[in-house]
Amino acid sequence: MTKRCNVKSSQKETTNFHEKSKNYLSDSEIKIFLKASKKTRYPKRNYLLLLMMYHHGLRVSEAVALKKSDVNLKDSRVWINRLKGGLSTEHPISGDELRAIKRYLNSREDNLPWLFVSERGIPLTRQAVSYIVSTIGKKTNIKNIHPHTLRHSCGFYLANMGYDLRLIQDYLGHRDPKHTAQYTRVASKRFEKLWQ
């Protein structure tokens, strides 16, 4: 008589645990979200904050750590200091972003070093950014949105534009390509010619 082993599956991991629900905003949702940020209490700051988080795939901690000295207005560049062991790089600043930075900085009457400050003259906190994002999410009826959604949205946008996995990896500061692969795997543009 053979001895049978009882194999128990882990309660924590299901067969499809690697599959996740949509955790990014589409192009149209991003436009609605950014437009709504211009109708908040601090429209110039909030619009720029969210635009930069999206354009540069910033984690919330990277966004609140930005300093005015990281921004080079003359050459339209911003130094992105990646956290979590990521690769820090210099990114170009697009035209609309450059105009938004200038508008915001011109409205400031302080000499504080941080790019994003609260009304009390201290750097924005992670909690403040989460509150801004969730409040705008409710106003726009965009569900399950949090600051990291903007980083994912950046990755999915770049993948949908057909950019190379390595380029996206470097842009987002990933050391491990497996973190970048999620964006290319579900990029809808890959499937567009299947039924033509």
Side-chain angles (χ1 to χ4, degrees):
M1 190 167 140
T2 47
K3 195 173 182 182
R4 290 175 31 165
C5 294
N6 286 333
V7 179
K8 292 184 179 179
S9 62
S10 169
Q11 293 292 325
K12 292 180 182 176
E13 292 186 2
T14 59
T15 311
N16 62 347
F17 79 100
H18 62 284
E19 296 175 7
K20 296 179 180 176
S21 59
K22 181 175 170 272
N23 60 351
Y24 62 96
L25 301 182
S26 65
D27 291 348
S28 58
E29 288 172 323
I30 280 288
K31 285 176 185 166
I32 291 166
F33 188 75
L34 290 175
K35 187 177 180 182
S37 71
K38 293 178 177 180
K39 296 176 182 171
T40 56
R41 188 173 173 193
Y42 301 99
K44 291 174 185 170
R45 182 199 66 192
N46 292 349
Y47 172 73
L48 178 62
L49 168 71
L50 302 175
L51 181 67
M52 290 188 79
M53 288 179 72
Y54 170 59
H55 274 196
H56 303 288
L58 298 175
R59 296 177 179 94
V60 64
S61 49
E62 294 166 349
V64 297
L66 277 173
K67 291 190 168 70
K68 289 191 281 188
S69 58
D70 294 325
V71 179
N72 180 343
L73 294 175
K74 186 178 177 184
D75 297 324
S76 299
R77 296 282 185 270
V78 59
W79 179 255
I80 305 298
N81 188 25
R82 295 291 183 195
L83 303 177
K84 290 193 169 182
L87 300 166
S88 299
T89 52
E90 187 176 64
H91 284 188
I93 297 173
S94 65
D96 59 335
E97 187 179 353
L98 185 63
R99 289 186 292 275
I101 292 171
K102 287 178 179 177
R103 275 194 302 270
Y104 170 57
L105 290 178
N106 287 336
S107 72
R108 296 258 305 262
E109 296 177 357
D110 60 77
N111 291 317
L112 298 168
W114 306 288
L115 185 58
F116 298 110
V117 294
S118 73
E119 60 188 355
R120 293 181 312 219
I122 59 172
L124 279 184
T125 62
R126 294 170 57 93
Q127 293 80 6
V129 177
S130 293
Y131 176 78
I132 291 165
V133 170
S134 64
T135 301
I136 297 170
K138 286 172 189 167
K139 283 182 182 176
T140 56
N141 206 26
I142 296 174
K143 310 279 188 219
N144 302 320
I145 185 168
H146 49 83
H148 211 72
T149 307
L150 296 169
R151 179 169 165 82
H152 288 315
S153 301
C154 175
F156 282 109
Y157 171 80
L158 296 173
N160 250 346
M161 292 299 289
Y163 291 114
D164 175 73
L165 175 68
R166 184 57 197 264
L167 176 68
I168 301 170
Q169 179 185 344
D170 289 347
Y171 191 80
L172 292 176
H174 289 151
R175 286 194 182 270
D176 191 335
K178 75 178 180 188
H179 298 301
T180 317
Q182 63 172 317
Y183 302 123
T184 56
R185 190 174 63 243
V186 296
S188 60
K189 283 249 170 104
R190 293 189 306 144
F191 309 124
E192 283 184 357
K193 294 185 181 177
L194 292 179
W195 294 97
Q196 292 178 356

